[in-house]
Amino acid sequence: LNVLIPSKCCMLSAERPPTSSSCASPSWFQSMLLFLGRRVPLSFVHRVTTCCPSSLSKPIWLIKLRSLTSTTHRTVFVSAASQNTRIMPERRPFVRLPTDVYPVNYGLSLKPDLIDFTFEGKLEAVVEVTQATNQIVMNCADIDIITASFAPQGGEEINATGFNYQNEDEKVTLSFPSALQKGSGSLKIDFVGELNDKMKGFYRSKYTAPSGEIRYAAVTQFEATDARRAFPCWDEPAIKATFDITLIVPKDRVALSNMNVIDRKPYPEDENLVEIKFATTPIMSTYLVAFVIGEYDFVEGQSSDGVTVRVYTPVGKAEQGKFALEVATKTLPFYKDYFSVPYPLPKIDLIAIADFAAGAMENWGLVTYRETALLIDPKNSCASSRQWVALVVGHELAHQWFGNLVTMEWWTHLWLNEGFASWIEYLCVDHCFPEYDIWTQFVSADYTRALDLDALDSSHPIEVNVGHPSEVDEIFDAISYSKGASVIRMLHNYIGDEDFRKGMNAYLLKFQHKNASTEDLWDCLEQASGKPIAAVMGSWTKQMGFPIIVVDQEQQGDDRILKISQKKFCASGPHNGEECPNWMVPISICTSEDPKCTKLKVLLDRPETTITLSGINTDQWIKINPGTVGFYRIQYSSSMLESLLPGIRDLSLQPVDRLGLQNDLFSLSRAGMISTVEVLKLMEAFVNEPNYTVWSDLSCNLGVLSSLLSHTDFHEEIQEFIRDLFTPIGLELGWDSKPGEGHLDALLRSLVLGKLGKAGHKPTLEEARRRFKDHVEGKQILPADLRSPVYLTVLKHGDSTTLDTMLKLHKQADMQEEKNRIERVLGAISAPDLIQKVLNFAISEEVRPQDTVAAIGGVAGSSKQGRKAAWKFVKDNWEELYNRYQGGFLISRLIKLTVDGFAIDKMAAEVKSFFESHPAPAAERTVQQCCENILLNAAWLKRDADDIQQYLLQRKAPPV
């Protein structure tokens, strides 16, 4: 309910209205609420604050009411500014903003109040009226407009006579008494809003000052559709304009925006405030505007091409910004060279925000990050954190060109932004840190993750038609990011680097400061390469899913005849529908003669084909998709598969192909196309494996299997299998790093020790307990890379004392990375009462709101008991959790982490039923995917459990 009430209503009571944030008198509230025509219990009054915009002679009272139907809060504005009462209309089908008025420049001044969590704003926008109209429609949410007027160029100012808020569509219509004529004009709006605690729009972020005092910063997160929560605007990516931003802030605070500061002067009305003016931005979309007001230190550098780079950190932690600064100063020249287009702004700031929902946000010139995605402490940060920071910095800086300079026309093309940045971040990190072997890690982190999600019936095409803003959050998923990145990697491989860069340069130059669609990029790449890019890529972006390539062979003399066919791969088994979709599939083939070199490339543009390879001896093997670049699964004939297995044992297959082969077979077993026992036998062939990423993928799949078998009475047998598989590599690595070891050795040691510890490997458990004791007592601090595996191991086999010690370490931790590290493993504890304690801790003040999700997910992912308890906890606390994340992508992540591991049919029905009665619109597709996964798990268990048990028991049986 948003209502503007005439000030005379206050006179209904003999009491004066409140003048501060102290609670108002009951009789004043009763009269005010009676005026609204609703008898509202006083318990629903949440808070009262006042502000006095300079454009008004009288103050405004902001009375924040709890909603009558939920714990969400609504604001009621009591004002002398208007005699109108605004009522919310019913929701209509979504339509984009009209085009009869558009902005050219926003002059925006904001004055946040960091005590009462409100802000005052003044907008003076230069607009163009393209056809006469007596109304202006803009986006506006959780903001109340006090006055609005329009002045045509050289003409008289016209005051708006009404503001009609369409809250469901997040729009406001400003009505004028006469038609605004075609031409330029100035739109002035005075407004007020709230610095919310929902991590979107213009919001407050809580932090602890070095003195120990709790304080708040005012920060922004506008993508996808939340600039409208900070100022009334045309909040669509294609409606670009320039911005002149002024911030009025306490003089002891840092204030940042997209551009550099051009003026700073005392604020005449308050000596404690300063007015800071920033340079005019390039023409840009609203979702990329940003401002931050808070307390920060920084480190500064310059890239080789002359761009000033600063990394802003919490006070006293400037040292922790040095690694990100190194990455950023290397990355900017790399992208300038790759795109042949210079970075267009004079500076770029990277800043760590305490409360931040996403990993990071690419605001032009002012990139915001979670602390864990930006800060690195040389002593207390592990190798995986350094790698994560490098990737996220690479991702966000890529957006400065791809997304910011050239922007998608509408959210349907979001994948182009995110898929491209998710691909090129790896190219950038490979350039900066070749020792990371990052492209092999891409296959495990992005490619296989996308294949798993896209095999579901409830997946979606890369390009999704998006209408209402509530639909946008749902496509920030592994399809847009990871499948997007995977098909761009496949495209880059198909075209070749030189033509790809040529096409990219043409695209950026043609559309700079404009908007583009997927087809525009295909056109540029097609012209550069001469290949049918639009036809090939349309089959990957416009239809969901991917093919399984079925391969058989026959030897004829020195020729090898390959029969290759494609059909849609489904997680539930082969596609049996009438209409079987086809893809245009770039197929590469190599042989054992040179596993790294592609012998033949073909484009499979029909259901099946036959290929002849000449000069192939009978003892040579054939491998499809070398480098695991093509986005498809492969099913080899049994003889072809048999010939490839020695390549795993003797490591003659590339690491990425050893990984791909195992991952394909694991996926085929889940789909019921082969027996899971076949995969377990294959896994045993990896006993000599040296590569971190191959082990990481094996570990992940064994984790899935372990979770599945937790629903049986032979869970201990799979733990023994895991111990047997990981013990040799564990012994080889040992606990302490050796001279000459690098990044990947640190990652591998952490992975292997954690796996062995969780699976109950006694020597690992004993050593972990010993080292943990020394760490806690301060005798020998654990190296950062050993902390996760040690914490996990001692908790998994620990008691209430262990948990209390971990919670104490959490409280003492000064670094967010360490707090997160602990939060993620707390769920490993086994006792039911302690599991409950962890869940309660997850939503306490001790855990930042964005980190609650990982803490609850850690409980759900650790054991069968944890999964049940986490699901019950989410149901019992649904209203609080839903309100906390306001339907954003974190709610989808919470649902997935909590319920995805169930494997009983009736649980799918329970989950479905719960979300029917507790709707979460932004997570509808996630709920469908989870229900589908639960049913797939149940079918897998029914189908293979007996065979798996028999195999695991027979492994242990002494030979007869």
Side-chain angles (χ1 to χ4, degrees):
L1 175 69
N2 265 346
V3 187
L4 241 142
I5 310 162
S7 59
K8 65 185 177 189
C9 79
C10 302
M11 300 304 108
L12 292 171
S13 160
E15 299 266 348
R16 282 171 61 79
T19 54
S20 74
S21 45
S22 62
C23 199
S25 66
S27 59
W28 182 80
F29 270 125
Q30 293 296 16
S31 58
M32 189 276 292
L33 294 169
L34 197 60
F35 178 86
L36 290 178
R38 304 176 72 175
R39 288 193 173 277
V40 181
L42 286 182
S43 59
F44 281 98
V45 175
H46 176 57
R47 190 176 67 233
V48 181
T49 53
T50 63
C51 62
C52 191
S54 52
S55 57
L56 291 179
S57 56
K58 296 182 182 178
I60 293 179
W61 293 280
L62 288 75
I63 298 107
K64 188 120 190 222
L65 299 181
R66 288 184 174 87
S67 157
L68 300 185
T69 53
S70 76
T71 58
T72 55
H73 299 144
R74 307 292 168 88
T75 304
V76 175
F77 285 79
V78 183
S79 166
S82 168
Q83 299 296 307
N84 301 332
T85 301
R86 304 194 302 269
I87 306 297
M88 197 164 77
E90 290 196 14
R91 183 165 176 177
R92 298 176 307 285
F94 174 76
V95 287
R96 280 164 73 166
L97 291 169
T99 54
D100 49 9
V101 181
Y102 69 86
V104 176
N105 170 269
Y106 291 85
L108 179 64
S109 172
L110 289 167
K111 181 170 164 259
D113 183 330
L114 298 173
I115 308 299
D116 282 339
F117 307 136
T118 59
F119 62 89
E120 297 170 29
K122 285 177 178 298
L123 175 65
E124 194 165 331
V126 176
V127 300
E128 195 67 35
V129 180
T130 58
Q131 59 185 63
T133 176
N134 63 354
Q135 59 182 35
I136 295 177
V137 183
M138 305 168 75
N139 291 115
C140 182
D142 301 335
I143 278 176
D144 269 74
I145 293 171
I146 300 154
T147 61
S149 66
F150 177 82
Q153 201 168 17
E156 288 286 308
E157 189 170 21
I158 309 163
N159 287 317
T161 50
F163 321 130
N164 180 22
Y165 292 76
Q166 295 104 56
N167 288 12
E168 284 290 311
D169 282 342
E170 300 181 343
K171 290 175 185 171
V172 63
T173 301
L174 310 178
S175 301
F176 295 87
S178 56
L180 314 179
Q181 297 305 312
K182 193 174 170 184
S184 290
S186 171
L187 175 66
K188 290 183 184 175
I189 301 176
D190 284 9
F191 56 95
V192 288
E194 182 200 13
L195 287 174
N196 70 69
D197 59 354
K198 302 291 182 273
M199 297 187 286
K200 64 181 187 178
F202 197 13
Y203 71 93
R204 61 186 188 264
S205 170
K206 185 167 139 186
Y207 64 97
T208 306
S211 64
E213 182 192 345
I214 296 291
R215 292 184 189 162
Y216 291 87
V219 303
T220 57
Q221 169 59 40
F222 290 164
E223 191 180 24
T225 56
D226 290 318
R228 62 193 67 176
R229 292 175 202 284
F231 56 100
C233 56
W234 286 262
D235 198 11
E236 295 183 358
I239 308 179
K240 290 189 169 188
T242 58
F243 291 81
D244 285 290
I245 291 171
T246 300
L247 298 175
I248 298 158
V249 301
K251 62 184 179 187
D252 60 348
R253 296 291 193 268
V254 171
L256 302 170
S257 188
N258 305 80
M259 298 296 288
N260 49 303
V261 174
I262 54 169
D263 189 31
R264 178 189 172 99
K265 61 188 180 193
Y267 184 60
E269 294 170 37
D270 186 336
E271 63 179 13
N272 295 313
L273 301 179
V274 289
E275 193 172 330
I276 298 176
K277 186 168 171 49
F278 298 89
T280 306
T281 69
I283 186 168
M284 62 189 282
S285 302
T286 48
Y287 79 89
L288 294 166
V289 173
F291 16 92
V292 175
I293 300 101
E295 296 175 283
Y296 300 94
D297 285 344
F298 67 86
V299 285
E300 182 179 310
Q302 232 182 16
S303 66
S304 59
D305 48 350
V307 180
T308 300
V309 184
R310 282 184 175 181
V311 176
Y312 283 84
T313 72
V315 173
K317 296 186 176 179
E319 284 288 303
Q320 294 178 18
K322 284 186 171 174
F323 178 72
L325 182 67
E326 177 200 337
V327 176
T329 50
K330 280 184 181 174
T331 296
L332 286 170
F334 171 73
Y335 285 147
K336 178 192 172 183
D337 180 52
Y338 195 85
F339 297 131
S340 299
V341 175
Y343 174 72
L345 305 189
K347 63 93 178 174
I348 188 158
D349 298 326
L350 292 70
I351 186 165
I353 305 293
D355 293 326
F356 197 77
M361 174 62 209
E362 69 266 21
N363 317 297
W364 215 357
L366 176 56
V367 185
T368 45
Y369 295 79
R370 274 192 190 196
E371 288 185 8
T372 48
L374 191 68
L375 304 181
I376 290 295
D377 177 342
K379 286 197 183 73
N380 294 299
S381 289
C382 58
S384 60
S385 292
R386 292 171 72 86
Q387 182 175 297
W388 174 239
V389 168
L391 284 167
V392 179
V393 169
H395 181 102
E396 304 309 331
L397 295 191
H399 277 311
Q400 306 302 304
W401 285 262
F402 209 94
N404 301 8
L405 182 63
V406 178
T407 310
M408 73 245 146
E409 194 279 328
W410 185 246
W411 300 109
T412 299
H413 306 284
L414 170 81
W415 86 272
L416 203 54
N417 258 15
E418 297 305 346
F420 184 85
S422 299
W423 168 75
I424 205 167
E425 70 185 62
Y426 283 86
L427 199 70
C428 157
V429 169
D430 192 45
H431 165 77
C432 294
F433 304 100
E435 69 276 16
Y436 285 10
D437 183 29
I438 204 72
W439 278 117
T440 306
Q441 294 193 57
F442 174 89
V443 174
S444 182
D446 281 273
Y447 171 95
T448 57
R449 182 168 162 244
L451 287 169
D452 287 341
L453 180 54
D454 206 27
L456 299 177
D457 293 338
S458 49
S459 182
H460 63 86
I462 282 179
E463 289 187 68
V464 181
N465 282 323
V466 173
H468 194 274
S470 66
E471 297 169 24
V472 180
D473 271 332
E474 217 177 351
I475 56 168
F476 281 85
D477 67 356
I479 299 297
S480 294
Y481 282 73
S482 299
K483 182 180 179 183
S486 299
V487 299
I488 285 171
R489 176 170 168 257
M490 176 169 71
L491 172 66
H492 174 263
N493 182 265
Y494 172 61
I495 293 177
D497 189 62
E498 192 182 331
D499 286 346
F500 187 85
R501 288 171 74 160
K502 210 187 295 175
M504 287 303 313
N505 174 252
Y507 171 79
L508 288 170
L509 290 177
K510 183 175 180 180
F511 294 101
Q512 61 185 327
H513 303 298
K514 299 192 187 89
N515 296 79
S517 68
T518 302
E519 286 67 32
D520 294 321
L521 178 60
W522 297 163
D523 287 348
C524 292
L525 291 170
E526 201 157 293
Q527 283 171 29
S529 68
K531 290 183 174 176
I533 306 301
V536 171
M537 295 308 289
S539 72
W540 296 96
T541 65
K542 293 186 186 301
Q543 60 186 4
M544 75 178 207
F546 59 88
I548 179 166
I549 304 297
V550 181
V551 195
D552 202 354
Q553 66 177 8
E554 189 186 320
Q555 188 80 21
Q556 289 182 2
D558 276 351
D559 292 345
R560 188 78 55 92
I561 315 295
L562 297 182
K563 288 180 184 164
I564 297 179
S565 63
Q566 62 162 304
K567 57 186 175 191
K568 185 178 189 304
F569 179 77
C570 299
S572 54
H575 177 82
N576 294 317
E578 295 288 307
E579 288 288 307
C580 190
N582 269 330
W583 285 262
M584 293 184 78
V585 192
I587 302 256
S588 301
I589 301 167
C590 72
T591 70
S592 49
E593 190 180 11
D594 189 350
K596 288 184 181 174
C597 180
T598 297
K599 193 168 179 76
L600 183 68
K601 280 188 176 188
V602 293
L603 186 65
L604 179 64
D605 55 2
R606 58 189 71 127
E608 55 186 56
T609 192
T610 301
I611 295 167
T612 303
L613 288 172
S614 304
I616 307 289
N617 300 331
T618 48
D619 58 351
Q620 283 184 272
W621 51 250
I622 298 276
K623 168 86 178 66
I624 307 291
N625 202 16
T628 314
V629 174
F631 193 74
Y632 46 83
R633 298 270 184 209
I634 304 170
Q635 185 173 25
Y636 292 102
S637 66
S638 51
S639 67
M640 287 186 82
L641 184 61
E642 204 64 42
S643 68
L644 285 168
L645 295 185
I648 290 175
R649 283 195 184 83
D650 65 19
L651 310 179
S652 58
L653 271 171
Q654 293 182 80
V656 71
D657 289 329
R658 302 196 294 269
L659 185 163
L661 201 59
Q662 177 268 136
N663 198 283
D664 276 350
L665 288 175
F666 188 78
S667 192
L668 292 177
S669 72
R670 189 178 188 232
M673 296 166 75
I674 61 169
S675 164
T676 308
V677 169
E678 296 305 309
V679 184
L680 290 170
K681 286 177 181 170
L682 172 76
M683 285 176 169
E684 290 180 303
F686 283 87
V687 72
N688 303 317
E689 182 58 56
N691 185 279
Y692 159 70
T693 313
V694 178
W695 276 113
S696 172
D697 200 68
L698 271 167
S699 168
C700 191
N701 288 339
L702 281 165
V704 170
L705 211 48
S706 175
S707 173
L708 183 77
L709 299 179
S710 68
H711 299 273
T712 70
D713 55 5
F714 57 93
H715 189 233
E716 175 48 36
E717 275 70 14
I718 193 72
Q719 303 314 306
E720 189 176 343
F721 181 88
I722 291 168
R723 293 194 295 267
D724 289 351
L725 187 58
F726 279 79
T727 296
I729 184 77
L731 288 170
E732 191 183 317
L733 286 165
W735 279 81
D736 300 303
S737 58
K738 303 172 187 70
E741 281 190 349
H743 176 79
L744 292 164
D745 301 293
L747 292 178
L748 182 57
R749 180 173 289 108
S750 178
L751 173 82
V752 170
L753 292 176
K755 203 71 179 171
L756 285 168
K758 192 177 180 188
H761 181 249
K762 282 206 167 56
T764 304
L765 174 56
E766 284 162 16
E767 184 64 9
R769 282 177 171 155
R770 185 185 72 73
R771 288 180 182 243
F772 182 66
K773 185 170 180 287
D774 286 354
H775 176 72
V776 172
E777 291 171 0
K779 288 181 189 167
Q780 180 74 53
I781 299 302
L782 280 166
D785 287 305
L786 289 183
R787 287 183 203 169
S788 276
V790 167
Y791 294 168
L792 174 70
T793 302
V794 297
L795 277 162
K796 181 73 183 170
H797 310 281
D799 54 18
S800 60
T801 310
T802 321
L803 181 59
D804 288 343
T805 306
M806 286 305 305
L807 292 174
K808 192 173 162 193
L809 285 179
H810 182 278
K811 200 169 187 64
Q812 290 167 353
D814 179 46
M815 201 179 177
Q816 199 54 34
E817 180 188 325
E818 177 73 355
K819 285 187 186 290
N820 285 178
R821 190 182 281 133
I822 294 167
E823 288 156 6
R824 282 196 295 267
V825 297
L826 286 174
I829 203 85
S830 299
D833 58 324
L834 300 181
I835 287 173
Q836 203 53 46
K837 186 174 178 177
V838 171
L839 290 166
N840 291 329
F841 173 76
I843 58 166
S844 71
E845 286 287 314
E846 296 292 317
V847 177
R848 286 189 180 161
Q850 71 266 25
D851 299 323
T852 296
V853 172
I856 294 174
V859 173
S862 285
S863 64
K864 187 180 172 184
Q865 295 76 11
R867 198 174 303 119
K868 282 183 182 167
W871 171 230
K872 183 178 186 306
F873 185 80
V874 166
K875 288 188 294 181
D876 292 347
N877 294 277
W878 176 252
E879 207 161 317
E880 180 184 340
L881 290 163
Y882 188 73
N883 184 41
R884 180 184 282 202
Y885 303 119
Q886 290 284 295
F889 69 90
L890 281 173
I891 208 80
S892 296
R893 191 169 295 171
L894 175 70
I895 293 166
K896 183 174 173 57
L897 288 171
T898 309
V899 304
D900 229 20
F902 285 116
I904 303 158
D905 288 349
K906 69 173 185 185
M907 280 309 304
E910 185 182 312
V911 170
K912 183 170 183 279
S913 159
F914 179 80
F915 289 107
E916 279 168 357
S917 56
H918 300 79
E924 273 175 28
R925 187 178 273 118
T926 300
V927 171
Q928 288 170 12
Q929 289 165 350
C930 289
C931 291
E932 188 177 345
N933 269 325
I934 294 168
L935 294 173
L936 287 166
N937 288 340
W940 190 8
L941 205 54
K942 280 183 204 133
R943 193 175 55 239
D944 276 8
D946 290 348
D947 288 350
I948 295 170
Q949 183 179 17
Q950 228 173 341
Y951 176 72
L952 293 174
L953 290 172
Q954 160 247 305
R955 269 181 79 249
K956 294 193 302 185
V960 179

